[in-house]
Each structure stands twice: as structure tokens, then as C-alpha cells.
Amino acid sequence: MDGTTYLSDYRPYPFTLDHVSLTFRLAPKATRVKAALSLAPREEDAPLHLDGEELKLISLAIDGQALKPADYLLTEAGLTIHPAALPEGAFTLETEVEIAPEDNTALEGLYMSKGMYCTQCEAEGFRKITFYPDRPDVMARFHVRIEGDQPVLLSNGNPVGQGPGWAEWDDPWPKPAYLFALVAGELVATHGTFTTMSGKTVDLNIWVRPGDEDRTAFALGALARAMKWDEEAYGREYDLSLFNLVAVDDFNMGAMENKGLNIFNSKLVLASPETATDLDYERIEGVIGHEYFHNWTGDRITCRDWFQLCLKEGLTVFRDQSFTSDMRLGPVKRIEDVITLRGRQFREDAGPLSHPPRPDHYREINNFYTATVYEKGAEVVGMLKTLVGPEGYRKALDLYFERHDGQACTIEDWIKVFEDSSGRDLSQFKHWYTDAGTPRLKVTDDFKDGTYTLEFTQESRPTPGQPEKPARHIPIAVGLLSPNGDEVVPTTVLEMTGDRQSFTFTGLGAKPVPSILRGFSAPVVLERETSAEEQAFLLANDTDPFNRWEAGRNLARATLTAMTGGAEPDPAYVEALGALIGDESLSPAFRALILRLPGEDEIAQSLFTAGQTVDPDAIHRARHALMATLAERHETALAHLFDASAVPGPYRPDAASAGLRSLRLACLSLLSLRDDSARARALYASAGNMTESLGALGILVTAGKAETELAAFRKRWQGNLLVMDKWFVTQLSLCPPDEAPDLAARLAADPLFDWRNPNRFRSVLGGLSANHAGFHRKDGAGYRFYADWLIRLDPLNPQTAARMSTAFETWARYDKARQEKMRAELARIAAQPGLSRDLGEMTARLLG
């Protein structure tokens, strides 16, 4: 494919870059950027190539001597200075360029968000700021001067000078250009301090627009908790005297870990009980932790090239998941992480976008910020920890930080520290990084004369570019339960390394019930013929929280898949669920998860995997029918639990209170099928926090009875961007499916639909695609609406358009008519003149 970059083609940059001086003279239409790069050649007679896009070159000089046009080549992709024009030794390259931040709708490089200057340089945005070797293995110290009429002027590192209309910043730690940041605007800060384990005081600032500062206290506290946790769990201390975090309304991603100046999508900073849900609070805490943890796993140690993206992202996701687990309910957090993994990454692995955590080629790197890199990358780190144990993991990470601090590294470097610290050969384990697809683990068992045998077979199905794959090294956590529910073999980690492998347990008095893949010890699909009675037994008795939930999930999934074919609800599942509703030994958050049925997309994937017909309308009807059955059978218990789960006193975002609210809303969604939504309407009217207000509103939307409440919600919150995003997405994701495409068209015509804002765009298109039967309406209206808006957004913001195109990745699941309609829309997108590299690559991969 044209423009494809291959891992095998990597070569070190032929010059060293020690120091960078930047001067910005800010102006919306004509910002001037002066750069002085301290370079030295590594190779003889090598041309100096600097990346650069959408830059107007004003001047170019080496050691103060202006270059002639014959000395260099200027193209749309960058600047190349011929070897004959370069000195033999070290030299300083000076450039001045002009850029237009106000016209930068792609939100990459330096752009403007409602009057604020802001940058986003990962992965390759710095080349839109100045000519530079824009690659992660080129690390340098930065000194930055900002000149402008904005009251707040921020960059990386420590402040070293300021005055009216200017400020200077110096970052003492070498970094790649993707970690550069600049923010300038009218901002106010919530201040705090943190004392590190060595006694150093660090100033903390959360910068927001005036009027938003009353919603920053939780973010500030989360930052301090993350700093403390990283010291205790990993021994990592913060290395600057100042940490700035800025909230920005227009941002393509969630947040960015720029050294000492993290830039966040405002939805992941701003929170108050009236405007943010429990899930918002948890995500804010987790993402603030994630970006802070990048200070060591991403900033101090970065990736050599973008093929190694999962080195920093997979590890840091694992760290933020562990942080949230420690701050909240660990077993519940693990279940939620697996739900996300299966819903996003397993779906990715099963379709045309499947790729390894470390791909071997790409055309547009922005398209590889995927669930495979992030979520599966985290699972791979978790498996390493399982294999070497907690102490071995800490020993390996200590060696990683000691050996590679200040370096740009590879997956090979990462695996090597585990091998050196543990003495283990992990060459086979490396296939988790290099091979795509979700392994399928088939299990059979046998019991004879007190010996119980488990036989495992693993299979990795073909994926794009990888028709065959060797066996993976799979850690399988197993426990055994006696027929009376006692645990006779505690959790034991079995290591599978072959295509087929058996493990035996001896000295057993009776055939045990196995609890396999405890804690979801590996990201695989487990296939084992089992009965509903055994699943109900595990649901009632398993000591492993994940597998106890998994048993209930398996029962629910089997019931729903059968009901799509016309079967009645399975009484065993209905009764088993009822037994758990009143089990006070279980946490409210866990019971809420048990009550949450598998989503329609999950059922579609199960049917597709089993080779059965996937009918979105039948799935929707089956799920609604099962909810109605559960509500009828357990109405009294649900009503009692709903009343008992009310949280007294003022709102608190702690895990215990959030668990009660989650359970209360789970009960309410079922009870509303019995009381004509009366309780939901009453809760909406009386709710004193956004969690219950939005939860009740969503239940009314599902019932088709929310017209009055939606109007009232809009009237109250139309001036709040983040709350109105919730208004858009709640309607579209939960409305009756037949109405979804038409509702999407009406909401797209709403004056509040600012489609240039990534959050608002995602709220409408993401809301529609989340409505499974609505998006897949038979007439194809959902597909047409979606494609129309991707085509419209692409010229302005290719990155967001490309990421949203993944709604089409499951086209192969459905009937021929739906397949043809989806492929026709993808072909229509692909045929657009001037299609971006981002969306062009995605449509090509989706079409196969």
C-alpha cells in the first residue's frame, strides 16, 4: 500500500539532537515559530530530513548563515538539507515558520479551542508546528519562550521567567517531540501541593476556563492519590517541582501525558454531583492516574518507534487499572475491565481490523490507537505478572526503570528485563505482542480413581496477514470445588505452552467442579461443554468473584441466544438470579453487575461465533422479554432492594455509595416494566445528583416516555457542554430502535449539535451505533446517516472520522441485505475525492 511504514525498515536517525530552543509569537492566523536545533551528524554524508506539514517557511539558516534554495528541498512532507550544505561537526539549525492555529480544525499540532491556544502532538502533530525530526527516538531538552497577549502561558517543565506578554519554560528531561505541549489563554487554576517520598514539595495546578473551577476538586485529589500510589506500588517519585493539568473543550483524545503539562479533554477533569455521574468520577480518577503514570512509563522511558506503542500504553493501562482497583472494589473493577475488553478488543480481533498489539506495518499511525494496543496490551502485562508473581513483577519493573531510564525502547527490551530478572525464557510469550487474534481454549475433563484431568487445546484462527500462528504461552488460573461447594484445590496457575496439553490433580474424593480461567488470567475465549446446572452451581459457590460473575453471564448469554430463536427464558437462570438478589454477603456493586444482562452487541457476537443467524431485531426482543420475565418473577425482591439501596445524606463519589446507586438503578430498570415507569419518573423528579437523574432519564427513554423530561433536561443544561453530550447520547443509545436513525437526523439538525466538537460528534454518532438494532435497522437508514457524517467530518478532522468508522467493523455478522448496505456505504466513503489518509486506510481495511 502506498505510504506504508514497516517495522523492518527502522533505522536510527542519522543525527543527534541535544537541545531545542523554541520561540512562539502567538497570533490566531499567523503564529510565528522560531526553532534552534543543536545537531551533530552520526553518519557521513547523510542528508538532514525534517518532518513538516502545513508550514510556511520564513527563514532557514545554519550557524547564523542563511541557506540558499539550492541547499535544500522543500516538499509537502518536510524539509531536506543536502549533505553538501551541512558542516562536518556539530551545528545549530535555525528555522522560522508561520502557522495558522485558528484554521487548524484537525486539532493536531497547535490549534485553538474557543479562544485558547492548545497543542496535541502525539503521534505526529509536532511536524505541524515546526520542521523537526518528528519521531519518538529523537529525544532532546526543550527551552520554550511564548509571546502573546493571553494571561496564562504554559509549556513543559519548570517556569524560568515571565513578564507582561511573555513567559519562558525549561524542561530538564530529554523528551521526544510528541510530548511537547503549549497552552495559552484565559485560565484559572485550582492549586494544591504534594510532598514526595523524599520530602520534595510539588506544586499542583488544575487549569480551567473561568467558571469551571468549582468542578476541579475531585481531579486535584485524584492527582495526589495517583502520585502517592505510584510511589508505594512502583517506587516512582515525580521529578519536577511543578505539575500542570489543563482542561480543553475541543480534544480528539481523552488526555495527553505531555511532560509536566498534561492536557485533558474537559470531560475527564470537570465533575460535580449535579453534572457528573459515578462513572464520570471513576473515569476521571482512572485517566488522571493513567496520564500521571506515563511520567515514567512513556515520558522517562518512551517507545523507540510507533510500532512499540503498546510498550507505553499497554503498561500504563495496566497501571491505571491496578490503581483504580486499589482505590475502589478490585473484583468489580476486574469484571468491568473484562466487559470492556470483550466488547471492544475481542470485537476488533474478530473482524477486518484485527492486528497484533505490536503491528509490523501501518499507513497512518493515528489508526493504531486501538483497543488491541491499549486493553489487550494491558492484559499481556497482567499475564507477565501472573507468570513471575507479584515479587518477580516488582523486581522486573525496578530493573526496567534502572536499565532504560532516559531511553526510547522496544518490546524486546521490555521482555528482556523479565527474562533477566526471573531467569525464565519468554521467547514464546512474545507471540502475544506479535500475533493477532483471540486464542480459543477448548477444555475437556476426566475423573478416575481420585485423579482429575483437564485437557486443553488452543487454536488461533486466521487474521488479516496472519493465516497461521504458533501456540501461545497461556497462564490458566484454575481452582477446584467439591460437589458440596467447598474449595478442594485453591487457585493454581497452569502454564500452557503447546497446542494440546493435560494437567492432573490427584487425591480427590469425588469428581470436582472446575473453576477455569479465574480472574480472567488470559485474554482467550474459553470453550467447554457444560450444563446450566453446573453454571448455576458456580454462580452460587465459586470463591473467585470473576468466575462467579462469569457463570451468571454464561447463563444469561445462553438464555438470550436461545430466546432469539423462539425459546422461553431458562427457569434455572431466572431462579439462580433471584437467589443472588437478596444475598447480603455480596457487595451492591457486584449484585448490580449480576443484574446487568449482556448487551445486544455481545449476543450478536455470540450468535455469529456459533454460526447462527444474527437478527438485531430478534436480539432486541429477546433481551426485553428476559427483562420482563425477571421483573415479573422477582418484583417483590427488586422493590425491596430498590428502597434499601437509597444512599442517605449528600452525594459522595466513593465506591460504596456508587455501588448502591448502581444496584438501585439496575433494580429500577426492571421494575419500570412492572410499574409503567412510575418509580423512574419519581426518581428523575427528586434526584439530587446526575447519576440518578441520568439513570432515570435513560430508563424513561427506553420506555418511550421521556418527552417531558428530555425537554426539561435540555432547558436546564443547554449551557453546559458536557451535560448536553449526555443528553444527546442517552436519547440515541436507548430510544426504541425503529426511531433511532430518524432521531439521529433530528438531533443533527439541533442548534446545539456542534459537529466540529469531537465530544458532541461522538455523542450523536456513538449514540446511534450503540443502539444495536437501531443502527442496523433493515432499511439501512442508520448506515446512510453515519456515512454521510463521516464524509462531512473527514476534511476537517480526519482523526475523529477514522476512529468513528469502526462502527462498520462487524458487517460480516449480519444477513446478506445488511452486509450489502454496509459495504455500499463504506465504498461510498472510499470513493470520496480527497479522502484523508486516516479514513482512507480505515475504509480499505474494513472492506478487506
Side-chain angles (χ1 to χ4, degrees):
M1 183 183 292
D2 246 357
T4 300
T5 301
Y6 294 91
L7 172 61
S8 58
D9 290 339
Y10 172 81
R11 300 292 182 273
Y13 193 60
F15 295 83
T16 61
L17 177 54
D18 176 64
H19 188 267
V20 180
S21 291
L22 297 172
T23 298
F24 289 82
R25 295 194 177 103
L26 298 176
K29 294 286 189 181
T31 289
R32 289 291 180 97
V33 185
K34 287 186 174 182
L37 314 184
S38 299
L39 294 153
R42 277 181 172 156
E43 303 174 8
E44 291 185 7
D45 298 325
L48 174 62
H49 177 74
L50 304 170
D51 299 298
E53 295 178 7
E54 302 171 24
L55 306 175
K56 179 181 178 181
L57 181 62
I58 304 300
S59 64
L60 176 63
I62 290 180
D63 292 333
Q65 186 70 37
L67 295 187
K68 301 173 184 176
D71 295 331
Y72 61 88
L73 175 66
L74 185 63
T75 69
E76 291 183 355
L79 172 69
T80 301
I81 301 176
H82 304 311
L86 298 173
E88 292 185 2
F91 61 94
T92 298
L93 176 73
E94 299 161 289
T95 62
E96 182 175 6
V97 302
E98 184 176 283
I99 56 178
E102 194 171 64
D103 298 335
N104 183 357
T105 60
L107 312 185
E108 296 177 278
L110 179 65
Y111 66 93
M112 299 192 75
S113 173
K114 299 177 178 64
M116 180 198 307
Y117 291 88
C118 179
T119 56
Q120 172 53 34
C121 294
E122 188 177 354
E124 296 177 340
F126 194 75
R127 64 190 61 192
K128 294 185 176 182
I129 293 175
T130 190
F131 290 106
Y132 198 85
D134 192 7
R135 42 189 288 171
D137 60 340
V138 177
M139 303 173 70
R141 292 173 292 114
F142 278 65
H143 183 93
V144 178
R145 179 181 173 89
I146 310 169
E147 299 174 4
D149 57 6
Q150 293 72 28
V152 176
L153 306 170
L154 305 173
S155 192
N156 307 88
N158 297 312
V160 292
Q162 64 179 16
W166 67 275
E168 292 192 7
W169 294 80
D170 191 82
D171 188 351
W173 299 101
K175 65 174 179 286
Y178 82 85
L179 292 171
F180 171 79
L182 179 153
V183 173
E186 185 178 353
L187 298 164
V188 292
T190 301
H191 303 283
T193 60
F194 178 80
T195 302
T196 69
M197 58 186 181
S198 68
K200 180 177 69 176
T201 298
V202 179
D203 290 323
L204 310 178
N205 295 308
I206 309 288
W207 294 93
V208 298
R209 296 183 185 279
D212 287 337
E213 58 269 32
D214 62 338
R215 292 188 283 158
T216 57
F218 184 80
L220 186 63
L223 176 57
R225 290 191 292 276
M227 297 174 81
K228 181 68 173 175
W229 184 88
D230 210 21
E231 291 182 345
E232 294 174 347
Y234 283 83
R236 298 298 100 194
E237 184 176 0
Y238 187 60
D239 52 7
L240 293 170
S241 61
L242 177 68
F243 190 98
N244 284 317
L245 187 155
V246 183
V248 178
D249 291 330
D250 300 281
F251 204 68
N252 282 335
M253 299 183 178
M256 180 61 208
E257 71 267 21
N258 319 293
K259 184 71 178 183
L261 178 57
N262 284 191
I263 299 178
F264 272 62
N265 190 313
S266 57
K267 70 179 181 179
L268 295 170
V269 175
L270 304 178
S272 69
E274 298 79 18
T275 62
T277 65
D278 290 332
L279 180 58
D280 291 330
Y281 276 99
E282 182 177 331
R283 289 193 67 213
I284 287 169
E285 184 174 61
V287 176
I288 283 179
H290 179 96
E291 304 307 333
Y292 174 75
F293 302 146
H294 265 314
N295 186 64
W296 277 92
T297 52
D299 295 4
R300 287 285 287 262
I301 304 177
T302 191
C303 44
R304 185 196 71 177
D305 52 68
W306 291 120
F307 294 101
Q308 323 296 329
L309 181 60
C310 64
L311 175 65
K312 74 181 185 79
E313 294 300 348
L315 174 56
T316 306
V317 169
F318 178 75
R319 276 154 50 76
D320 84 54
Q321 290 175 346
S322 303
F323 167 63
T324 302
S325 181
D326 286 349
M327 295 298 106
R328 293 175 179 265
L329 298 174
V332 170
K333 170 61 176 169
R334 182 58 182 151
I335 293 168
E336 290 172 341
D337 288 340
V338 174
I339 291 173
T340 299
L341 179 80
R342 288 171 169 169
R344 296 181 61 225
Q345 199 281 321
F346 278 25
R347 164 176 160 152
E348 195 167 84
D349 257 350
L353 300 181
S354 180
H355 63 278
R358 184 177 75 177
D360 60 6
H361 68 280
Y362 63 80
R363 186 182 182 198
E364 175 51 65
I365 185 55
N366 286 329
N367 289 336
F368 279 93
Y369 283 75
T370 63
T372 297
V373 167
Y374 282 70
E375 276 76 29
K376 188 171 185 176
E379 294 296 316
V380 176
V381 175
M383 284 190 288
L384 279 171
K385 185 175 182 179
T386 298
L387 290 172
V388 303
E391 292 183 4
Y393 176 77
R394 178 62 187 266
K395 184 179 179 182
L397 267 291
D398 286 344
L399 178 60
Y400 180 62
F401 295 127
E402 176 187 347
R403 179 181 289 178
H404 296 296
D405 187 13
Q407 297 179 13
C409 296
T410 64
I411 291 300
E412 285 74 17
D413 297 323
W414 167 247
I415 294 290
K416 189 72 162 57
V417 299
F418 278 86
E419 291 183 324
D420 291 349
S421 61
S422 68
R424 299 187 54 145
D425 179 3
L426 295 171
S427 54
Q428 184 184 8
F429 183 84
K430 185 184 168 186
H431 286 290
W432 281 106
Y433 283 109
T434 59
D435 293 355
T438 302
R440 311 187 79 79
L441 203 59
K442 297 182 180 180
V443 190
T444 59
D445 63 347
D446 181 68
F447 181 74
K448 185 177 182 181
D449 298 330
T451 297
Y452 182 65
T453 302
L454 284 171
E455 183 172 77
F456 295 89
T457 303
Q458 63 167 299
E459 175 194 8
S460 290
R461 295 179 178 178
T463 53
Q466 291 185 322
E468 296 182 2
K469 306 177 184 69
R472 309 274 181 102
H473 186 172
I474 305 176
I476 308 169
V478 172
L480 301 180
L481 304 175
S482 71
N484 66 5
D486 294 334
E487 188 168 75
V488 292
V489 174
T491 301
T492 303
V493 177
L494 312 176
E495 295 190 32
M496 185 177 187
T497 55
D499 292 322
R500 184 184 296 270
Q501 205 163 336
S502 296
F503 301 90
T504 59
F505 303 85
T506 59
L508 300 173
K511 183 178 180 179
V513 177
S515 171
I516 304 172
L517 211 65
R518 284 186 158 182
F520 202 63
S521 59
V524 300
V525 173
L526 185 65
E527 297 179 353
R528 176 172 175 264
E529 289 188 11
T530 184
S531 65
E533 289 74 20
E534 182 175 309
Q535 293 293 334
F537 174 87
L538 291 171
L539 179 61
N541 297 287
D542 204 330
T543 57
D544 179 70
F546 175 83
N547 270 10
R548 192 172 188 180
W549 168 84
E550 181 81 311
R553 193 75 163 191
N554 288 338
L555 282 171
R557 192 184 300 112
T559 298
L560 283 167
T561 53
M563 289 177 68
T564 62
E568 292 297 313
D570 184 353
Y573 169 67
V574 174
E575 295 308 313
L577 196 67
L580 292 173
I581 290 175
D583 189 344
E584 296 294 336
S585 69
L586 301 174
S587 73
F590 184 83
R591 279 185 282 173
L593 284 172
I594 289 287
L595 280 172
R596 189 196 307 172
L597 295 181
E600 294 176 25
D601 188 78
E602 182 178 340
I603 302 305
Q605 186 61 33
S606 295
L607 289 166
F608 177 65
T609 301
Q612 300 180 39
T613 301
V614 178
D615 182 342
D617 299 318
I619 293 171
H620 180 74
R621 288 192 298 269
R623 194 170 184 275
H624 184 271
L626 182 55
M627 290 179 66
T629 298
L630 294 172
E632 180 181 12
R633 176 66 182 83
H634 304 301
E635 182 175 5
T636 300
L638 289 167
H640 171 74
L641 198 52
F642 173 78
D643 293 334
S645 300
V647 183
Y651 175 88
R652 299 182 305 276
D654 60 277
S657 300
L660 284 168
R661 283 187 289 269
S662 178
L663 179 56
R664 195 167 195 234
L665 289 170
C667 294
L668 183 64
S669 67
L670 295 174
L671 288 169
S672 292
L673 299 174
R674 303 295 297 167
D675 67 2
D676 198 31
S677 303
R679 287 183 181 87
R681 184 162 283 108
L683 180 60
Y684 178 80
S686 64
N689 59 77
M690 181 55 72
T691 300
E692 293 185 335
S693 176
L694 194 69
L697 181 65
I699 291 168
L700 292 171
V701 168
T702 301
K705 299 176 180 179
E707 185 175 351
T708 300
E709 288 77 9
L710 285 168
F713 193 98
R714 187 187 195 281
K715 183 177 180 180
R716 179 181 179 186
W717 295 112
Q718 59 186 318
N720 186 302
L721 289 173
L722 300 180
V723 176
M724 287 307 297
D725 288 337
K726 303 178 195 301
W727 182 79
F728 278 99
V729 75
T730 297
Q731 292 180 76
L732 279 166
S733 61
L734 297 175
C735 72
D738 282 350
E739 301 174 11
D742 305 318
L743 176 60
R746 291 198 302 275
L747 290 178
D750 191 300
L752 294 179
F753 179 53
D754 177 8
W755 58 277
R756 292 174 175 82
N757 176 270
N759 287 350
R760 187 57 48 85
F761 188 85
R762 286 187 285 257
S763 71
V764 171
L765 271 76
L768 174 60
S769 62
N771 190 319
H772 182 254
F775 179 63
H776 294 287
R777 202 171 76 180
K778 281 184 178 180
D779 62 0
Y783 310 146
R784 287 193 298 275
F785 174 88
Y786 208 94
D788 284 345
W789 279 100
L790 293 183
I791 290 168
R792 186 171 182 181
L793 183 67
D794 184 57
L796 274 70
N797 191 332
Q799 196 176 123
T800 296
R803 286 178 181 161
M804 297 300 292
S805 69
T806 57
F808 289 108
E809 70 182 323
T810 58
W811 62 264
R813 285 181 187 167
Y814 301 97
D815 58 86
K816 186 176 180 181
R818 285 185 172 94
Q819 284 190 22
E820 290 176 350
K821 288 181 173 67
M822 277 189 273
R823 288 183 62 87
E825 295 303 329
L826 286 168
R828 181 163 68 92
I829 295 170
Q832 295 298 309
L835 194 68
S836 70
R837 282 167 53 96
D838 305 63
L839 190 53
E841 180 188 30
M842 290 298 287
T843 52
R845 291 170 63 198
L846 287 164
L847 286 165

